[in-house]
Amino acid sequence: MTGSEDQQTRRRAAVYRLYGTNDELLYIGSAYDPAERCKEHKRQPWWGEVVRRADEWHPTRGHAYDAEMRAIDADKPRYNVMGTAAYREECRRLAREDGARRQRNRAGSAAALGAPPEIVQAIRHGRIESWAAWKASGKPAAE
């Protein structure tokens, strides 16, 4: 870890909450400088609803990020996306799709490189990682 990285990990950071009228919680975020970060939020379509900000300071960015994720999960602010259960499920779904897409790509590459059809199918269905892995294993194509 460099000196500047070490300094960053020890730097205080805040969890900030943005509220609308009637104290409706609109958004939760974390930053070293909440006022500066909120300048970026001003581009959001919901920014006009914000009437106040409350900051909760933490000893490090890591502590603030953990507190932010817990708060988003518990308080369910209207405009947060990241940190919500729906966001986590979408990330899991995309990871599954990405894995399937990679398998199809590896199978297509194996076919283009002349792999036997049974090896291509085994790659496509996840029984073999890749044609290179199969060749390195020394197993016959029938397996």
Side-chain angles (χ1 to χ4, degrees):
M1 184 180 304
T2 67
S4 63
E5 289 172 334
D6 190 43
Q7 190 176 21
Q8 288 291 87
T9 58
R10 292 188 199 152
R11 187 173 163 199
R12 281 183 359 135
V15 171
Y16 59 92
R17 290 171 171 79
L18 303 176
Y19 294 91
T21 55
N22 300 320
D23 248 13
E24 178 187 12
L25 183 59
L26 301 176
Y27 188 85
I28 298 174
S30 63
Y32 290 119
D33 185 343
E36 194 62 33
R37 177 67 177 105
C38 285
K39 289 177 185 176
E40 296 174 36
H41 289 312
K42 289 181 180 181
R43 291 182 243 143
Q44 296 296 329
W46 47 262
W47 181 255
E49 298 176 47
V50 176
V51 296
R52 75 179 181 91
R53 184 185 89 221
D55 299 340
E56 171 189 304
W57 288 93
H58 295 268
T60 68
R61 181 73 174 90
H63 286 99
Y65 181 77
D66 290 345
E68 174 192 10
M69 291 297 109
R70 286 192 305 275
I72 290 169
D73 192 48
D75 300 339
K76 298 177 181 29
R78 183 196 289 182
Y79 294 116
N80 277 88
V81 175
M82 192 178 98
T84 64
Y87 178 82
R88 289 189 301 273
E89 181 52 39
E90 180 68 3
C91 288
R92 285 191 287 272
R93 184 187 68 74
L94 290 172
R96 286 190 302 270
E97 283 181 10
D98 191 45
R101 186 177 309 108
R102 275 195 230 124
Q103 279 181 289
R104 287 192 303 274
N105 288 344
R106 283 192 298 267
S109 294
L113 292 169
E118 61 272 19
I119 298 304
V120 173
Q121 284 301 316
I123 294 167
R124 182 171 286 125
H125 295 288
R127 293 188 303 271
I128 298 173
E129 178 68 21
S130 67
W131 191 31
W134 170 76
K135 289 193 306 184
S137 75
K139 294 181 181 176
E143 286 187 24

